[in-house]
């Protein structure tokens, strides 16, 4: 009768203390295309495999990396429609913060609010957890560039470098070997692309991946243009 | 005891990270009659098999393609009654946008709102996902003609050409072979009809298919008259 | 433990993309007494088998055909009490329309609203679909006489002629053979009675069937009196 | 584990299109003591077996026939407590009607409202159908005396004569043989008592049955006194 | 897995038309200590076995008979906590009636309201029936002393004499033999005590039973003191 | 699959008329540490085993006996967190009473309100019964010292002496033998300690038990200090 | 079909009086990394293993110990996202208290409110218990430093020393042997680190553990800096 049989709507504890709906949601994340990020001294890079299922898809319009504010951005692995709910909420929060305090919301706060929303969906009646993990790039109170990962459970950590989605285990051990604490953004971008290329099916290029960078110097987050991505890839060869 | 036994009302994750109700809803889409669309340089064409189960049905009154605003239109495969809920909501949103901003709602926004509504029905208590996929034709902020596909999960993409419903796999590979990036609307209409004819049971004609076109020149969306469709079909022969 | 065991209250998708509660509701329709209708050039006829389970029932008071407005009428097959909910709602809508716009509500709108109500009951928590299909006769915006059929799913079509309830398959193929596009109301009434007689158990007469006609000339809908029905039946012999 | 196992709270469709909770509710009706009624030319009689389970019950206080207005009355078979909910609602409606329109509510309207309430309980979340059928006696718009039967499904019919509860099948065929269209009230009362006596366990008398009559002449409904019932019974011998 | 397995929260119909939760609630009543009552010409007596499970219980504080108004009282068998909900509601209703109309609420009305509350709990979502039956003593509109029994289903009857709880079948047949229609209160009290003694485990006395009397002469309801009960018992020997 | 399998959230009747969730809640009580109390002529003593699972627990801060008002106190066996909900509610009620009426709330009223809250949780949707029994000491309207026990069902009794929690059966028969109706508080305290010592694992002392006394003379309730308890224990040796 | 099968959303009693969801939540706690604390004469120390799953995690940003007010702090074992809900609530309560009363909230009150929130989630419909235990350090009314542990059931105790999470049994027996009632903070910190080191996988250092101290002298709570922790560890060697 299939594997969803008897799985009830609510996230309840199993005998071993596991919240199964959350574990299953993590599987939805691992089934998704790889995303990854590196926090450098002078900025953050986040990148994602945006390869699509058909050559007919208007790749230019596929935008998995989303600006949350002029100085922060999100990317995800897992269910895109769930991710949209999170970015919508994060943008609203970030801009409310700015209106109220006259300054940019520290990324750790943006992340905390997103994580709280995700936690709520693991404890409230009649709903399911979110089916995606999120990487967030932004500046903290001390204006240092930071990278966070938020999971369906609502757990989040700051990372020097991390990867989610398909092949995330290999990607992370790859990153562990190459990312040093004092890595600079330019180097980080190259490492990011290199890591993404590792597990990539087919040729990587500016059309099938997406790269967002947060620069400490300019204080702003932007998504690289196709040509810029290709330039980085060519430099690497 | 049947196959719905134990399938609970809520869309919860299966062990493998799948949302089964969404997968089943996609089956409802694939059981529906074929719809397809092509985004050309100078416009968009969407078309659908509107063959009916009986010769007694008043075919002239069957209208699967719906205008959402004077410059955008939807078509679907799957459950018609669910589709009506979506068009009603989209029209309301589009006209509210126009009242507020004094200009047409970009199609990507119309699509996003429709997709958000569909996502909601995959995460809220006591409801089921929508049982249809939607193709949307309209202009974007830059007034370029665009084609989108929205699925029961709330996922959506821009497409140069796509097909949904019965035989959508064949239709898409057919389109992949014939649709070039710089295709023009007239050519796109012919390709569309050709593709539709491929998987069609029986003779295709202006009575059993429906074609909607969005013209960049006029900036408007309209459904072709039976004679116009027949003219296109005759030209093709 | 019976066949309702495990059938949950909500209309959810089966593995094959079916909404089983809707399919079962359609079985409730097919178990009901036959109703049918024909849209002629100059009017619409709808008719129904109103044979009752006992000679003690006050047949004169049994009225399955209901006026919705002075120029439109409904008939049904399936569960009578569910049908009453629909006629009540349709009448309220039709009269609200007339109060607001100063003119009769086009039948396609009446039908759409009825269909939307039926769709709602297939997607909302804790309710079941309606257990009846409805035939609707009325005038459209262009004042042409129209016949619609609405099903428990909320699907509806315009029909030149159609039949629902017990024996609807035979009735429809019977109608297909006899109903021409330019049929006139008088002829349509005869065809309707003939079709109804086909599957009828026992002798058909003005007491055990009910006939409603919409005349283009008078612009009004009315239910034929027993004598009128008998006259038509006698003419036929 | 018993026969209620897995019977869910909501009235949903079985595979064959049946609403099982309604069928089961009808069984509750058939388990109840017999009630019956006859609509005569000049009035209506309704009667019921009010035999009680113990000689200690204060039979005089047992009143199964209830006035709804001075000119209408109800009787039932099945669950008494459910019946009380219906009479309370019917009385409120009838008296609201009279306050608003300055005249008695036609019995068909009283019945329709009762039936609508019963239908609601077959389609709303978390409730069960009413466990009783109701016979209603009253005058219609044309001031003709009428008899109606309303069932747990919310279905209702006008009847010349009918019976519900234990042995209703026999009672109805008994009535079919004896009730003529132009029967007069006096005769109807006798026929009613005769029918009731048929299936009766033990001796029938003014204490263990209850009889209500609606007289066209006086325009009012009243419950016969024990002596009156006994007089009728004696006349019959 | 136990006998409550699969018993759902709602009172739904079984295949045979039974409301099982109500039947089970009646079992809760039959498991309770015996209560009984007799309606005499000049008053009503209600009495109950208030034997407690331990000699340490402060028997004087155990009061199963409750005054509802100065001229009416309730006693019960079954679940005491559920009974308290009913007496609280009945008292509130009775005193609201007196405030509004300036006179005592007839006992039949008090009973009807109690019964309606009990019926509600058999038809509403998410609740269970009350687990007790109630005997009510009071005066009716005509100021005659009356005795009523209300059951978990919401059914109620007037009784000349009745018994509920453990051994109620024997007690009732005992009462049937001894209670005559024109019994007087003094005699009724003796009969009541005699009946209670029949099924009693151990010696009956003013400590382990409770007796309430309604006197037509004084128009008031009161609970007998321990000595009074003992006096009656002594007289009987 | 465990023993909670199929146990539904609501307290419904089993076939034998039992409310299983309440029976199970009583098991939670019996699993808890013993509490007991004795109502003397001139006061009430309540005491409890407050032995803790570790020597590291700050025993001084463990306070199972709670003042509800200056002249009343509660103790419990079972789930401590549930107990806190009850004391919070009781305190609020007691102080509201005092504010309104200018005098102390009689303990029987405090108990009745607590019991009503507990009953509610056995009949409302979606909640479970409280997992504790409560002993309450206080003065009644006549300023006599009283002891009450309230159970998860909402049932309550006045007791001369009682015990709940682990070994309550033995403790009660021990009490039955030693508690006389005219026992005085000093004697009662000794009896209480003696009884508690009976079933105690290990040495009883002022650290691992808690004793509260209500003195008629002072009209107040207080918890004995460790030294006082030890003094009583020493006296007993 | 997995071990969550049939585990219903609500925390209901098992046959043996256990609330299984709470027991399972405790397993979630025991699966979490170890936390522990010691209440000394002149302060409280709480510490936790904050070893992370990857060297890429920004350990400096991992902060499991949270200030609730300037003079109190929490740490946890179990599910981090659930813990955040508790700290958010505790902070709000503590600061509301300070605003209202102009002084710091006693830690026992902070703890009680946290515990009440946790209890609520064991008795309300549609939610699950919190999946974490909390250690709380703060000052009580008498300004003495106190340590509390709150569990998913809502149970809480004051502790001289305690441990939760992985290996808590060993840690507690370790603490039992070394913690004396008159231990001083400096000594307590060393004991704490020693205990933590016992069950630690790998080398303990200022990066992979977190230590918070409450000083009676300063009246404030603070988290030790990495260097401070390392200093303590070096002293110990």
């Amino acid at each position: 009768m299939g594997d969803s049989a008897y799985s009830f709507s609510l996230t309840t504890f199993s005998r071993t203390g596991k919240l199964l709906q959350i574990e299953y949601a993590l599987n939805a994340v691992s089934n998704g295309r790889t995303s990854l990020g590196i926090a450098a001294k002078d900025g953050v890079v986040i990148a994602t495999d945006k390869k699509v299922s058909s050559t007919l898809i208007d790749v230019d319009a596929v935008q998995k990396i989303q600006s949350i504010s002029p100085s922060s951005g999100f990317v995800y692995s897992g269910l895109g429609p769930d991710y949209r709910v999170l970015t919508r909420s994060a943008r609203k929060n970030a801009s409310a913060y700015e209106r109220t305090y006259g300054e940019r919301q520290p990324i750790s706060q943006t992340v905390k609010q997103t994580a709280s929303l995700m936690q709520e969906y693991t404890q409230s009646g009649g709903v399911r957890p979110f089916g995606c993990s999120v990487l967030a790039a932004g500046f903290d109170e001390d204006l240092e560039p930071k990278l966070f990962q938020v999971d369906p459970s609502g757990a989040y950590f700051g990372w020097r470098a991390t990867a989610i989605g398909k092949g995330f285990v290999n990607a992370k051990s790859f990153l562990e070997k190459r990312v040093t604490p004092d890595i600079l953004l330019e180097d980080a971008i190259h490492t990011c692309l290199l890591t993404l290329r590792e597990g990539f099916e087919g040729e990587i290029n500016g059309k099938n991946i997406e790269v967002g960078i947060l620069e400490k110097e300019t204080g702003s987050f932007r998504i690289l243009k196709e040509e810029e991505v290709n330039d980085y890839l060519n430099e690497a060869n």
Side-chain angles (χ1 to χ4, degrees), chain A:
Chain A
M1 241 145 263
D3 60 350
S4 85
Y6 302 104
S7 286
F8 284 104
S9 57
L10 234 140
T11 308
T12 45
F13 287 102
S14 76
R15 190 164 293 264
T16 59
K18 297 261 171 69
L19 293 167
L20 288 190
Q21 274 296 305
I22 291 180
E23 313 253 315
Y24 297 174
L26 273 173
N27 290 340
V29 175
S30 306
N31 296 339
R33 302 209 164 269
T34 319
S35 296
L36 74 175
I38 300 173
K41 285 253 139 190
D42 54 344
V44 178
V45 55
I46 54 179
T48 189
D49 172 350
K50 70 165 189 177
K51 205 147 25 61
V52 289
S53 59
S54 161
T55 60
L56 290 171
I57 288 182
D58 180 3
V59 185
D60 299 337
V62 176
Q63 198 179 326
K64 291 178 62 187
I65 297 180
Q66 297 285 332
S67 289
I68 299 307
S69 73
S71 59
S72 62
F74 277 13
V75 74
Y76 77 101
S77 291
L79 306 184
D82 286 15
Y83 170 61
R84 284 203 318 267
V85 176
L86 296 174
T87 54
R88 201 161 48 220
S89 164
R91 276 195 197 112
K92 207 180 288 183
N93 279 322
S95 92
Y97 186 97
E98 196 161 350
R99 264 197 322 277
T100 311
Y101 300 107
E103 55 184 41
R104 293 277 152 77
Q105 188 184 41
I107 188 66
S108 60
Q109 284 209 22
T110 312
V111 162
K112 201 182 230 177
Q113 287 173 338
T114 301
S116 291
L117 181 61
M118 291 171 91
Q119 192 278 341
E120 251 184 76
Y121 276 75
T122 74
Q123 204 174 19
S124 307
V127 295
R128 59 163 176 87
F130 281 84
C132 59
S133 286
V134 170
L135 301 186
F139 295 105
D140 223 334
E141 285 90 347
D142 55 6
L143 300 181
E144 286 306 307
K146 298 282 180 193
L147 172 69
F148 286 91
Q149 173 183 336
V150 199
D151 286 331
S153 64
Y156 68 92
F157 286 107
W159 291 79
R160 287 191 298 113
T162 189
I164 53 178
K166 205 164 288 171
F168 77 99
V169 177
N170 288 340
K172 277 166 91 167
S173 66
F174 195 94
L175 288 168
E176 269 171 38
K177 286 185 218 117
R178 284 162 206 253
V179 175
T180 58
D182 48 4
I183 196 171
L184 292 180
L185 184 57
E186 282 299 296
D187 194 11
I189 295 173
H190 281 293
T191 306
C192 213
L193 296 180
L194 225 60
T195 313
L196 204 49
R197 176 181 281 163
E198 275 300 289
F200 211 80
E201 299 162 20
E203 180 100 25
I204 194 173
N205 61 52
K207 273 220 158 343
N208 57 26
I209 69 165
E210 207 175 342
V211 179
I213 60 170
L214 179 80
E215 289 166 307
K216 189 169 177 180
E217 205 185 326
T218 61
S220 69
F221 178 82
R222 69 188 185 86
I223 297 168
L224 295 189
K225 295 194 198 103
E226 191 183 327
E227 305 78 45
E228 292 179 290
V229 174
N230 283 331
D231 288 349
Y232 276 110
L233 289 169
N234 292 335
E235 279 178 52
N237 293 335

